[in-house]
Amino acid sequence: MKLNQKKFEGLKIGDRIPLFTLKDQNGALWKSNERTLGKITVIYFYPVNGGNTSKAQARAFSEIFTTFSLAGIQIVGVNSANVASHKKFAEKNNLPFKILSDTGNIVSMQFGVKKGIFIRGRETFIFDRSGVLIYKFRNLFNGEEHVERTLDFLAVQV
């Protein structure tokens, strides 16, 4: 399915989370309209499973997972790999959060995640308990900075 890229210019602060359904690393459906309301939700897009930057970013988010969960904040990773690849990545890195499979890059386009020469970008989006975008950050090369910025932003919000 080919989409008009102009239609997907990206989310702006104050926009509502797009409606989408993707499979997680266990093959279970994850529906944005059911899973995000009532929780602060951190959704981070990353280019590939297995890259050093992606591993470091996932592990850094894992380190804050329990603290975030206790505060009612959920973390969700997304990229274009298939469910089997996500399962392997999650198990190898002991990830306690959901990794969603966006094989057609439809959701990343809805969010406006920039595409590099060969791969999709690395961007983090934070939604409030009503599903409204309150923060976004882009940096392809430093995955751990996404975690630092998320912590800094949420420290003054929560």
Side-chain angles (χ1 to χ4, degrees):
M1 175 167 144
K2 191 143 181 147
L3 296 173
N4 180 348
Q5 185 63 40
K6 188 164 180 76
K7 183 179 177 185
F8 299 104
E9 293 177 355
L11 298 179
K12 297 174 182 64
I13 301 300
D15 286 349
R16 296 197 68 74
I17 189 167
L19 295 176
F20 64 88
T21 301
L22 295 173
K23 288 184 178 179
D24 69 17
Q25 69 265 36
N26 298 310
L29 293 179
W30 196 94
K31 298 179 180 185
S32 63
N33 62 328
E34 294 175 2
R35 298 293 186 118
T36 58
L37 294 181
K39 299 176 187 174
I40 293 174
T41 303
V42 176
I43 298 180
Y44 78 95
F45 290 82
Y46 64 103
V48 296
N49 287 340
N52 289 335
T53 303
S54 295
K55 285 189 245 182
Q57 181 179 21
R59 289 178 183 153
F61 271 122
S62 291
E63 291 173 9
I64 61 173
F65 176 79
T66 300
T67 302
F68 272 27
S69 292
L70 293 172
I73 302 167
Q74 68 177 330
I75 301 167
V76 181
V78 182
N79 84 3
S80 62
N82 63 35
V83 170
S85 175
H86 281 329
K87 186 162 186 70
K88 183 178 176 183
F89 181 67
E91 288 174 353
K92 185 174 183 179
N93 293 286
N94 297 312
L95 303 183
F97 51 85
K98 301 294 182 190
I99 303 287
L100 306 180
S101 179
D102 182 22
T103 55
N105 287 311
I106 303 299
V107 175
S108 68
M109 286 190 288
Q110 284 179 307
F111 277 69
V113 176
K114 299 296 180 202
K115 183 176 186 227
I117 296 172
F118 299 108
I119 57 175
R120 284 271 163 209
R122 182 180 313 280
E123 298 188 37
T124 298
F125 299 83
I126 302 175
F127 296 89
D128 68 12
R129 288 177 174 85
S130 300
V132 174
L133 182 64
I134 55 175
Y135 180 80
K136 64 181 187 174
F137 176 70
R138 175 184 300 144
N139 182 331
L140 179 61
F141 302 108
N142 188 341
E144 291 174 279
E145 185 177 3
H146 286 256
V147 179
E148 294 165 13
R149 297 268 188 129
T150 298
L151 283 167
D152 290 346
F153 179 78
L154 289 175
V156 298
Q157 299 295 313
V158 178

